[in-house]
């Protein structure tokens, strides 16, 4: 577990080439703007990894601030020649990204394996 901010939990699992981060809001008394992008990227640099998969606990609301943090991580990974992907986001969380016109930048991969392999999720008709 990574120390993020009061009321938040950020866990990380390491694969041979990828890091898997999972953000959870663990308390109603939480900091509104945790330095997510800074903390995640610093951890990735310390591990020498540029391929990141990000998950969001299904009970955690995706605020506009957190969306901004995801955009920062995506841009940083791209600049550094890495990859930043989302997986297993709740439908309501991914719809927040879609309403902001970011669904194509952040496809919601079904699980970690699909995210790593780049198997795009099926679109609904």
């Amino acid at each position: 577990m990574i120390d993020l901010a009061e009321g938040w939990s950020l866990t990380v699992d390491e694969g041979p080439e990828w890091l898997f981060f999972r953000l959870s809001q663990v308390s109603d008394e939480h900091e509104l703007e945790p330095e997510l992008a800074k903390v995640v990227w610093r951890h990735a640099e310390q591990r020498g990894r540029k391929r990141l998969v990000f998950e969001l606990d299904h009970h955690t609301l995706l605020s506009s601030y957190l969306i901004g943090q995801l955009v920062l991580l995506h841009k940083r990974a791209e600049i550094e020649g890495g990859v930043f992907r989302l997986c297993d986001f709740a439908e309501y969380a991914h719809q927040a990204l879609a309403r902001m016109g970011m669904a194509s930048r952040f496809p919601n991969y079904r699980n970690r394996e699909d995210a790593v392999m780049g198997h795009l999720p099926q679109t609904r008709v």
Side-chain angles (χ1 to χ4, degrees):
M1 182 158 342
I2 298 172
D3 186 30
L4 180 60
E6 186 175 336
W8 294 95
S9 167
L10 182 63
T11 56
V12 63
D13 294 322
E14 295 188 41
E17 297 178 18
W18 292 78
L19 292 176
F20 303 92
F21 294 90
R22 183 170 183 83
L23 179 66
S24 301
Q25 181 183 325
V26 294
S27 169
D28 290 336
E29 308 254 343
H30 63 278
E31 203 173 296
L32 293 177
E33 298 180 348
E35 293 186 324
L36 180 66
K38 181 179 177 181
V39 170
V40 166
W41 196 259
R42 182 174 47 225
H43 189 81
E45 284 184 321
Q46 290 170 348
R47 301 296 185 277
R49 309 278 172 68
K50 296 178 184 174
R51 295 177 182 175
L52 314 174
V53 174
F54 191 84
E55 301 169 77
L56 184 70
D57 180 271
H58 284 223
H59 303 291
T60 300
L61 294 177
L62 187 59
S63 67
S64 59
Y65 174 80
L66 290 177
I67 290 171
Q69 294 293 290
L70 297 178
V71 169
L72 288 173
L73 284 164
H74 183 271
K75 286 183 178 181
R76 183 68 185 264
E78 234 176 41
I79 289 168
E80 298 290 334
V83 178
F84 181 78
R85 295 183 178 154
L86 306 181
C87 83
D88 193 30
F89 268 44
E91 184 65 28
Y92 70 86
H94 198 256
Q95 286 301 318
L97 290 166
R99 282 191 297 278
M100 296 180 91
M102 295 186 197
S104 61
R105 177 183 293 185
F106 294 109
N108 188 16
Y109 291 89
R110 190 175 47 131
N111 54 41
R112 291 177 175 188
E113 182 179 344
D114 283 357
V116 167
M117 300 304 291
H119 294 158
L120 290 173
Q122 298 294 322
T123 56
R124 295 182 184 171
V125 180

